[in-house]
Structures are given as C-alpha cells and as structure tokens.
Amino acid sequence: MKVAILSDIHDHLHNLRAFEPVLGEAEALIFCGDFCAPFTLAALAELFRGPIHAVFGNNDGDQWLPSKAASRFEHVRLEGPFARLELGGRKIFVVHYPEIAEDVGASGRYALVCFGHNHQATAKKLGQTLLLNPGEVMGRFGISSIALYDTSTGEPIFYSLQEGEPVPWQPHT
C-alpha cells in the first residue's frame, strides 16, 4: 500500500494541487498538521478521494470550523492532536511536533512515526522505526515537498516541486 504523507500546507493550495499526480499513486493519505484555514482541508478532501487521516498542528487553532468542514467528507478523519493507525499492516503514529515524534519513535512501538512543524523534510531510522517529516507543502523555505511511503517495503520516496512539477527528490538530512 502506498501512503501519501503531507504537512504544513498553510493555505498554499497552488502547491497542493501541483502534487496531484503523486497523490494519485496513493491509497491513503496522512496529514501531519497545519492546514490553517478550513477551506484548505476541504480542498485536500476534494483533491484526494481515498482515506485521509489528519492531526491538528499549532496553526490549526480553531478546531471547530475544520471539524465542520471535515464532516462534509466521509473519507476524512480528523484524529485530534495525534493518531494511532494501522495501514498496510504497519503501525503508524502521527503528530505535528518533532519532540513528541522523537520520543514516540524511540519507543519502538511503531514502524513509522510521522510529524511536521519544522518544515524540514527528513527520514531517519530509530532502531526499527522510521521517523519521517515530509517537509512542507507551503514552500516557505524554498522547497515544497511531500513523501510517498510504501508499506510493503517500509521506504519513503520524497517529491519536491521543480518548475511547478513534482519530481523525486532526496532531502539533505
């Protein structure tokens, strides 16, 4: 199973839509926080029609309006501040904050721990756990990126936008 992993859209819908070809390869989507506005959650739900599992970030302060927007889409689950999932036979933990992700990753209880917040794409092993930040859709620091995780291999492929097109990319971690 391929799972798209995104974080930190911050209402940058143009960049989000540019990743549509990569999202088309995924069967499920994990969002690590910071939609910002409820319309961004709705845009993601309209763009990706498979199951979406999302957690809140620090810029998703008003949780009532995004919850109301999510209720319009049967395939969207707002999990709260963190999520415990099982996708493709892999246990997955999702949270917005790197510090929490590091601690949970060190526990060894999950195959994959996803996070966002610092806008820096990274993938590193903590024992048998892959700690993954897909980077930022926003592109604030110059690189708009997402990841596609393969549950059968346990490996991610990162994609960045180059001249408005998603291409495979290797972050410097």
Side-chain angles (χ1 to χ4, degrees):
M1 168 184 243
K2 291 188 179 175
V3 181
I5 305 169
L6 289 71
S7 191
D8 296 282
I9 299 172
H10 290 269
D11 300 337
H12 285 254
L13 300 183
H14 178 74
N15 288 353
L16 174 63
R17 290 185 183 112
F19 284 112
E20 187 173 10
V22 177
L23 298 179
E25 297 179 36
E27 297 169 61
L29 187 146
I30 291 171
F31 184 70
C32 303
D34 281 358
F35 291 108
C36 289
F39 66 77
T40 300
L41 183 153
L44 179 62
E46 291 165 357
L47 185 65
F48 186 82
R49 300 307 294 179
I52 297 173
H53 302 274
V55 299
F56 288 112
N58 61 301
N59 285 292
D60 297 321
D62 177 1
Q63 295 181 5
W64 184 79
L65 286 176
S67 296
K68 186 176 175 184
S71 72
R72 297 184 3 234
F73 303 96
E74 290 183 13
H75 64 290
V76 176
R77 288 194 52 158
L78 283 177
E79 306 281 353
F82 65 89
R84 292 183 179 115
L85 310 171
E86 187 164 328
L87 298 172
R90 301 259 182 182
K91 288 185 174 186
I92 301 170
F93 187 87
V94 185
V95 68
H96 187 64
Y97 300 100
E99 299 82 5
I100 297 170
E102 288 268 349
D103 289 348
V104 172
S107 77
R109 294 179 56 201
Y110 298 91
L112 175 64
V113 174
C114 303
F115 68 99
H117 187 62
N118 65 14
H119 299 230
Q120 298 173 4
T122 186
K124 72 177 184 178
K125 284 290 219 173
L126 292 176
Q128 297 297 312
T129 300
L130 178 64
L131 193 63
L132 188 142
N133 183 334
E136 58 174 352
V137 171
M138 177 186 199
R140 176 180 172 207
F141 295 110
I143 297 173
S144 180
S145 65
I146 67 171
L148 195 60
Y149 176 77
D150 188 330
T151 61
S152 63
T153 65
E155 296 295 322
I157 298 173
F158 287 87
Y159 291 86
S160 69
L161 292 182
Q162 295 181 16
E163 297 179 18
E165 299 293 323
V167 295
W169 169 72
Q170 186 60 45
H172 296 85
T173 57

